[in-house]
mmCIF file of all heavy atoms in Angstrom:
data_model
loop_
_atom_site.group_PDB
_atom_site.id
_atom_site.type_symbol
_atom_site.label_atom_id
_atom_site.label_comp_id
_atom_site.label_asym_id
_atom_site.label_seq_id
_atom_site.Cartn_x
_atom_site.Cartn_y
_atom_site.Cartn_z
ATOM 1 N N ASN D 212 -10.224 47.057 -18.156
ATOM 2 C CA ASN D 212 -10.185 45.620 -18.474
ATOM 3 C C ASN D 212 -8.835 45.150 -19.008
ATOM 4 O O ASN D 212 -8.737 44.068 -19.592
ATOM 5 C CB ASN D 212 -11.303 45.260 -19.459
ATOM 6 C CG ASN D 212 -11.058 45.778 -20.865
ATOM 7 O OD1 ASN D 212 -10.279 46.698 -21.069
ATOM 8 N ND2 ASN D 212 -11.726 45.188 -21.843
ATOM 9 N N PHE D 227 -10.423 49.835 -21.588
ATOM 10 C CA PHE D 227 -11.640 49.744 -20.794
ATOM 11 C C PHE D 227 -12.791 49.273 -21.672
ATOM 12 O O PHE D 227 -12.757 49.369 -22.904
ATOM 13 C CB PHE D 227 -11.981 51.096 -20.147
ATOM 14 C CG PHE D 227 -12.357 52.186 -21.122
ATOM 15 C CD1 PHE D 227 -13.682 52.463 -21.414
ATOM 16 C CD2 PHE D 227 -11.375 52.935 -21.760
ATOM 17 C CE1 PHE D 227 -14.038 53.468 -22.317
ATOM 18 C CE2 PHE D 227 -11.705 53.933 -22.671
ATOM 19 C CZ PHE D 227 -13.043 54.199 -22.946
ATOM 20 N N SER D 228 -13.809 48.740 -21.010
ATOM 21 C CA SER D 228 -15.064 48.412 -21.667
ATOM 22 C C SER D 228 -16.156 49.264 -21.038
ATOM 23 O O SER D 228 -16.021 49.739 -19.902
ATOM 24 C CB SER D 228 -15.387 46.923 -21.532
ATOM 25 O OG SER D 228 -15.527 46.557 -20.173
ATOM 26 N N ALA D 229 -17.244 49.483 -21.773
ATOM 27 C CA ALA D 229 -18.322 50.334 -21.291
ATOM 28 C C ALA D 229 -19.660 49.801 -21.775
ATOM 29 O O ALA D 229 -19.807 49.483 -22.965
ATOM 30 C CB ALA D 229 -18.122 51.778 -21.762
ATOM 31 N N LEU D 230 -20.610 49.701 -20.864
ATOM 32 C CA LEU D 230 -21.961 49.310 -21.236
ATOM 33 C C LEU D 230 -22.705 50.521 -21.799
ATOM 34 O O LEU D 230 -22.439 51.669 -21.405
ATOM 35 C CB LEU D 230 -22.701 48.762 -20.020
ATOM 36 C CG LEU D 230 -22.091 47.537 -19.339
ATOM 37 C CD1 LEU D 230 -22.920 47.128 -18.122
ATOM 38 C CD2 LEU D 230 -21.961 46.384 -20.314
ATOM 39 N N PRO D 231 -23.659 50.290 -22.704
ATOM 40 C CA PRO D 231 -24.403 51.420 -23.267
ATOM 41 C C PRO D 231 -25.139 52.251 -22.224
ATOM 42 O O PRO D 231 -25.468 53.413 -22.476
ATOM 43 C CB PRO D 231 -25.385 50.741 -24.229
ATOM 44 C CG PRO D 231 -24.756 49.421 -24.561
ATOM 45 C CD PRO D 231 -24.023 49.009 -23.330
ATOM 46 N N LEU D 237 -19.961 56.813 -23.013
ATOM 47 C CA LEU D 237 -18.630 56.293 -23.343
ATOM 48 C C LEU D 237 -18.748 55.002 -24.133
ATOM 49 O O LEU D 237 -19.647 54.189 -23.903
ATOM 50 C CB LEU D 237 -17.838 56.018 -22.063
ATOM 51 C CG LEU D 237 -17.609 57.182 -21.100
ATOM 52 C CD1 LEU D 237 -16.977 56.670 -19.817
ATOM 53 C CD2 LEU D 237 -16.734 58.249 -21.742
ATOM 54 N N LYS D 238 -17.820 54.797 -25.044
ATOM 55 C CA LYS D 238 -17.675 53.534 -25.758
ATOM 56 C C LYS D 238 -16.344 52.911 -25.348
ATOM 57 O O LYS D 238 -15.356 53.615 -25.150
ATOM 58 C CB LYS D 238 -17.715 53.752 -27.265
ATOM 59 C CG LYS D 238 -19.046 54.291 -27.762
ATOM 60 C CD LYS D 238 -19.041 54.439 -29.283
ATOM 61 C CE LYS D 238 -20.386 54.933 -29.794
ATOM 62 N NZ LYS D 238 -20.390 55.079 -31.269
ATOM 63 N N GLY D 239 -16.316 51.585 -25.231
ATOM 64 C CA GLY D 239 -15.086 50.926 -24.817
ATOM 65 C C GLY D 239 -13.920 51.274 -25.717
ATOM 66 O O GLY D 239 -14.077 51.432 -26.931
ATOM 67 N N GLY D 240 -12.738 51.390 -25.130
ATOM 68 C CA GLY D 240 -11.569 51.742 -25.925
ATOM 69 C C GLY D 240 -10.317 51.855 -25.101
ATOM 70 O O GLY D 240 -10.085 51.070 -24.179
ATOM 71 N N ILE D 241 -9.511 52.877 -25.402
ATOM 72 C CA ILE D 241 -8.207 53.080 -24.784
ATOM 73 C C ILE D 241 -8.196 54.446 -24.116
ATOM 74 O O ILE D 241 -8.654 55.437 -24.688
ATOM 75 C CB ILE D 241 -7.079 53.016 -25.838
ATOM 76 C CG1 ILE D 241 -7.157 51.703 -26.615
ATOM 77 C CG2 ILE D 241 -5.712 53.175 -25.167
ATOM 78 C CD1 ILE D 241 -7.033 50.452 -25.780
ATOM 79 N N ALA D 254 -12.421 55.610 -28.707
ATOM 80 C CA ALA D 254 -13.210 54.389 -28.807
ATOM 81 C C ALA D 254 -12.500 53.341 -29.655
ATOM 82 O O ALA D 254 -11.856 53.661 -30.657
ATOM 83 C CB ALA D 254 -14.580 54.695 -29.407
ATOM 84 N N ALA D 255 -12.641 52.081 -29.258
ATOM 85 C CA ALA D 255 -12.058 50.978 -30.029
ATOM 86 C C ALA D 255 -12.632 50.931 -31.442
ATOM 87 O O ALA D 255 -11.920 50.640 -32.409
ATOM 88 C CB ALA D 255 -12.295 49.658 -29.306
ATOM 89 N N SER D 256 -13.922 51.204 -31.584
ATOM 90 C CA SER D 256 -14.546 51.174 -32.918
ATOM 91 C C SER D 256 -13.953 52.240 -33.826
ATOM 92 O O SER D 256 -13.816 52.031 -35.041
ATOM 93 C CB SER D 256 -16.060 51.371 -32.794
ATOM 94 O OG SER D 256 -16.363 52.591 -32.132
ATOM 95 N N THR D 257 -13.578 53.384 -33.240
ATOM 96 C CA THR D 257 -12.944 54.442 -34.026
ATOM 97 C C THR D 257 -11.554 54.019 -34.467
ATOM 98 O O THR D 257 -11.162 54.225 -35.626
ATOM 99 C CB THR D 257 -12.859 55.738 -33.189
ATOM 100 O OG1 THR D 257 -14.176 56.148 -32.842
ATOM 101 C CG2 THR D 257 -12.171 56.845 -33.964
ATOM 102 N N ALA D 259 -10.415 50.954 -34.875
ATOM 103 C CA ALA D 259 -10.494 49.846 -35.830
ATOM 104 C C ALA D 259 -11.269 50.214 -37.086
ATOM 105 O O ALA D 259 -11.211 49.492 -38.078
ATOM 106 C CB ALA D 259 -11.147 48.647 -35.170
ATOM 107 N N ASP D 261 -14.387 49.946 -37.295
ATOM 108 C CA ASP D 261 -15.234 48.765 -37.385
ATOM 109 C C ASP D 261 -16.217 48.825 -36.212
ATOM 110 O O ASP D 261 -15.817 48.722 -35.049
ATOM 111 C CB ASP D 261 -14.367 47.500 -37.301
ATOM 112 C CG ASP D 261 -15.150 46.217 -37.524
ATOM 113 O OD1 ASP D 261 -16.380 46.228 -37.347
ATOM 114 O OD2 ASP D 261 -14.521 45.186 -37.842
ATOM 115 N N ASP D 262 -17.501 48.991 -36.521
ATOM 116 C CA ASP D 262 -18.513 49.111 -35.465
ATOM 117 C C ASP D 262 -18.718 47.821 -34.694
ATOM 118 O O ASP D 262 -19.343 47.837 -33.621
ATOM 119 C CB ASP D 262 -19.847 49.568 -36.068
ATOM 120 C CG ASP D 262 -19.806 51.021 -36.525
ATOM 121 O OD1 ASP D 262 -18.949 51.776 -36.028
ATOM 122 O OD2 ASP D 262 -20.635 51.402 -37.392
ATOM 123 N N ALA D 263 -18.223 46.690 -35.217
ATOM 124 C CA ALA D 263 -18.348 45.413 -34.506
ATOM 125 C C ALA D 263 -17.317 45.282 -33.390
ATOM 126 O O ALA D 263 -17.377 44.346 -32.591
ATOM 127 C CB ALA D 263 -18.211 44.243 -35.473
ATOM 128 N N VAL D 264 -16.388 46.197 -33.322
ATOM 129 C CA VAL D 264 -15.360 46.213 -32.272
ATOM 130 C C VAL D 264 -15.813 47.194 -31.200
ATOM 131 O O VAL D 264 -16.129 48.352 -31.498
ATOM 132 C CB VAL D 264 -13.999 46.618 -32.860
ATOM 133 C CG1 VAL D 264 -12.994 46.905 -31.767
ATOM 134 C CG2 VAL D 264 -13.487 45.529 -33.797
ATOM 135 N N ASP D 265 -15.860 46.736 -29.928
ATOM 136 C CA ASP D 265 -16.471 47.578 -28.906
ATOM 137 C C ASP D 265 -15.626 47.803 -27.652
ATOM 138 O O ASP D 265 -16.092 48.437 -26.709
ATOM 139 C CB ASP D 265 -17.832 47.004 -28.509
ATOM 140 C CG ASP D 265 -17.753 45.619 -27.886
ATOM 141 O OD1 ASP D 265 -16.632 45.069 -27.764
ATOM 142 O OD2 ASP D 265 -18.816 45.080 -27.520
ATOM 143 N N LYS D 266 -14.363 47.318 -27.630
ATOM 144 C CA LYS D 266 -13.575 47.487 -26.410
ATOM 145 C C LYS D 266 -12.120 47.117 -26.662
ATOM 146 O O LYS D 266 -11.773 46.537 -27.710
ATOM 147 C CB LYS D 266 -14.120 46.605 -25.292
ATOM 148 C CG LYS D 266 -14.058 45.110 -25.583
ATOM 149 C CD LYS D 266 -14.538 44.294 -24.412
ATOM 150 C CE LYS D 266 -14.616 42.820 -24.663
ATOM 151 N NZ LYS D 266 -13.633 42.207 -25.532
ATOM 152 N N ALA D 267 -11.291 47.433 -25.688
ATOM 153 C CA ALA D 267 -9.946 46.864 -25.654
ATOM 154 C C ALA D 267 -10.057 45.380 -25.356
ATOM 155 O O ALA D 267 -10.935 44.945 -24.608
ATOM 156 C CB ALA D 267 -9.118 47.547 -24.575
ATOM 157 N N ALA D 268 -9.190 44.579 -25.951
ATOM 158 C CA ALA D 268 -9.203 43.138 -25.686
ATOM 159 C C ALA D 268 -8.899 42.890 -24.213
ATOM 160 O O ALA D 268 -7.956 43.461 -23.648
ATOM 161 C CB ALA D 268 -8.181 42.428 -26.566
ATOM 162 N N VAL D 286 -7.730 45.446 -29.875
ATOM 163 C CA VAL D 286 -9.158 45.714 -29.666
ATOM 164 C C VAL D 286 -9.948 44.585 -30.318
ATOM 165 O O VAL D 286 -9.503 43.970 -31.292
ATOM 166 C CB VAL D 286 -9.574 47.080 -30.248
ATOM 167 C CG1 VAL D 286 -8.886 48.220 -29.495
ATOM 168 C CG2 VAL D 286 -9.264 47.176 -31.740
ATOM 169 N N ASN D 287 -11.131 44.298 -29.755
ATOM 170 C CA ASN D 287 -11.951 43.220 -30.307
ATOM 171 C C ASN D 287 -13.414 43.479 -30.006
ATOM 172 O O ASN D 287 -13.780 44.510 -29.425
ATOM 173 C CB ASN D 287 -11.495 41.853 -29.781
ATOM 174 C CG ASN D 287 -11.771 41.653 -28.294
ATOM 175 O OD1 ASN D 287 -12.172 42.567 -27.584
ATOM 176 N ND2 ASN D 287 -11.536 40.449 -27.806
ATOM 177 N N GLY D 288 -14.254 42.537 -30.403
ATOM 178 C CA GLY D 288 -15.684 42.628 -30.169
ATOM 179 C C GLY D 288 -16.249 41.270 -29.816
ATOM 180 O O GLY D 288 -15.505 40.295 -29.631
ATOM 181 N N PRO D 289 -17.561 41.156 -29.747
ATOM 182 C CA PRO D 289 -18.180 39.894 -29.330
ATOM 183 C C PRO D 289 -17.843 38.698 -30.207
ATOM 184 O O PRO D 289 -17.839 37.559 -29.737
ATOM 185 C CB PRO D 289 -19.687 40.213 -29.390
ATOM 186 C CG PRO D 289 -19.771 41.696 -29.244
ATOM 187 C CD PRO D 289 -18.552 42.241 -29.921
ATOM 188 N N SER D 290 -17.524 38.920 -31.466
ATOM 189 C CA SER D 290 -17.206 37.797 -32.362
ATOM 190 C C SER D 290 -15.788 37.289 -32.188
ATOM 191 O O SER D 290 -15.401 36.296 -32.791
ATOM 192 C CB SER D 290 -17.393 38.219 -33.819
ATOM 193 O OG SER D 290 -16.369 39.129 -34.217
ATOM 194 N N LYS D 292 -13.254 38.684 -33.373
ATOM 195 C CA LYS D 292 -12.415 39.293 -34.409
ATOM 196 C C LYS D 292 -11.696 40.478 -33.799
ATOM 197 O O LYS D 292 -12.288 41.249 -33.032
ATOM 198 C CB LYS D 292 -13.270 39.746 -35.587
ATOM 199 C CG LYS D 292 -12.469 40.389 -36.721
ATOM 200 C CD LYS D 292 -13.351 40.775 -37.905
ATOM 201 C CE LYS D 292 -14.196 41.980 -37.605
ATOM 202 N NZ LYS D 292 -14.901 42.481 -38.805
ATOM 203 N N ASP D 324 -11.097 36.705 -25.041
ATOM 204 C CA ASP D 324 -11.098 37.380 -23.753
ATOM 205 C C ASP D 324 -10.684 36.451 -22.612
ATOM 206 O O ASP D 324 -10.596 36.898 -21.459
ATOM 207 C CB ASP D 324 -12.478 37.975 -23.477
ATOM 208 C CG ASP D 324 -12.717 39.253 -24.258
ATOM 209 O OD1 ASP D 324 -11.740 39.837 -24.756
ATOM 210 O OD2 ASP D 324 -13.890 39.673 -24.383
#
Side-chain angles (χ1 to χ4, degrees):
N212 72 340
F227 66 96
S228 61
L230 300 179
L237 302 172
K238 296 182 178 180
I241 305 300
S256 57
T257 299
D261 186 339
D262 289 338
V264 169
D265 63 359
K266 62 177 175 34
V286 295
N287 69 352
S290 71
K292 180 178 73 172
D324 283 344

